[in-house]
Amino acid sequence: KNEVEQSPQNLTAQEGEFITINCSYSVGISALHWLQQHPGGGIVSLFMLSSGKKKHGRLIATINIQEKHSSLHITASHPRDSAVYICAPNPQGAQKLVFGQGTRLTINP
Amino acid sequence: DTEVTQTPKHLVMGMTNKKSLKCEQHMGHRAMYWYKQKAKKPPELMFVYSYEKLSINESVPSRFSPECPNSSLLNLHLHALQPEDSALYLCASSQVSPADTQYFGPGTRLTVL
């Protein structure tokens, strides 16, 4: 069993729809990161969470430490949100991140 | 300046060549990382440097040799690579630990012929 499970693996939606991507993990963590990678390249860190909820523009990330679960929400989705979204917790005491397999999001106009 | 730079952007090399990848950050970060990423897969950690000392080597073959000459620079020396080593190589940095936000470079796309 993978330490980090993301769902769904692929998601296609229409512009304007509300998007939710889920991440479950099996170990105690210091923090959890949500990352975005557009086709062709670079990775951008969207959020770093250790508790509660964070919001940046149309993106919201939540984490429930007791349930070992985090979600990334996108409101009023737009084609430019099309990317791979990766959940990456930092296990307690570990000097590294553990990566989920990613969710490939496509937003059609 | 919140940028991590990587050079070169693209590299094609033969199996007998020696080449180096370079990564630079000027954010005062003390943790730096090398990742390898194959198509449609998440990044795989290769090495972690903490305060210029190698703290993690994820059982990477010795044909990859990391170096951290100072707190701003990270190199990855390549020698006698195999075609299966072709991938996107990403560098990242964070303030002190992986719990801190990681800033990623754009990557070097490596092709081994």
Side-chain angles (χ1 to χ4, degrees):
Chain A
K1 188 181 188 301
N2 289 336
E3 286 181 273
V4 184
E5 298 277 354
Q6 273 188 246
S7 62
Q9 290 186 356
N10 294 282
L11 178 56
T12 299
Q14 291 300 119
E15 183 172 356
E17 286 190 40
F18 181 81
I19 303 299
T20 295
I21 299 170
N22 294 301
C23 174
S24 295
Y25 52 91
S26 56
V27 297
I29 64 169
S30 301
L32 181 142
H33 301 259
W34 280 102
L35 310 172
Q36 179 193 57
Q37 186 170 30
H38 279 104
I43 294 176
V44 173
S45 179
L46 298 174
F47 294 103
M48 187 277 290
L49 294 161
S50 54
S51 64
K53 177 179 175 178
K54 286 190 177 179
K55 184 174 189 287
H56 184 243
R58 295 180 294 106
L59 291 124
I60 302 164
T62 63
I63 190 166
N64 185 319
I65 295 291
Q66 285 73 32
E67 295 189 3
K68 295 186 169 62
H69 182 268
S70 178
S71 294
L72 177 68
H73 306 284
I74 305 175
T75 62
S77 60
H78 190 277
R80 65 175 174 266
D81 298 325
S82 298
V84 175
Y85 293 84
I86 303 170
C87 167
N90 168 224
Q92 281 171 342
Q95 284 294 309
K96 64 182 183 180
L97 302 179
V98 178
F99 291 86
Q101 288 300 303
T103 295
R104 189 169 300 273
L105 175 66
T106 304
I107 304 295
N108 292 320
Chain B
D1 181 6
T2 58
E3 193 181 19
V4 176
T5 59
Q6 286 188 247
T7 54
K9 284 189 168 47
H10 300 274
L11 178 62
V12 179
M13 59 186 290
M15 290 192 284
T16 58
N17 291 158
K18 284 186 184 181
K19 296 285 184 186
S20 296
L21 309 185
K22 181 179 168 182
C23 172
E24 197 163 2
Q25 58 87 14
H26 295 285
M27 294 177 276
H29 288 174
R30 305 313 298 270
M32 295 185 77
Y33 312 83
W34 278 116
Y35 294 96
K36 173 183 175 180
Q37 188 178 29
K38 296 284 238 183
K40 301 197 176 186
K41 296 287 186 184
E44 298 171 41
L45 181 67
M46 300 175 72
F47 302 104
V48 180
Y49 272 84
S50 178
Y51 291 87
E52 296 103 73
K53 290 194 179 350
L54 183 65
S55 62
I56 294 182
N57 175 342
E58 290 283 271
S59 303
V60 178
S62 60
R63 58 185 184 268
F64 295 91
S65 174
E67 179 196 20
C68 189
N70 60 56
S71 59
S72 300
L73 271 176
L74 190 63
N75 297 320
L76 186 63
H77 303 297
L78 314 172
H79 174 52
L81 294 193
Q82 304 296 309
E84 60 264 29
D85 297 321
S86 299
L88 181 68
Y89 287 83
L90 292 159
C91 173
S93 71
S94 65
Q95 194 155 4
V96 172
S97 87
D100 303 317
T101 298
Q102 288 199 16
Y103 294 82
F104 287 81
T108 293
R109 192 160 297 281
L110 174 68
T111 303
V112 182
L113 299 176

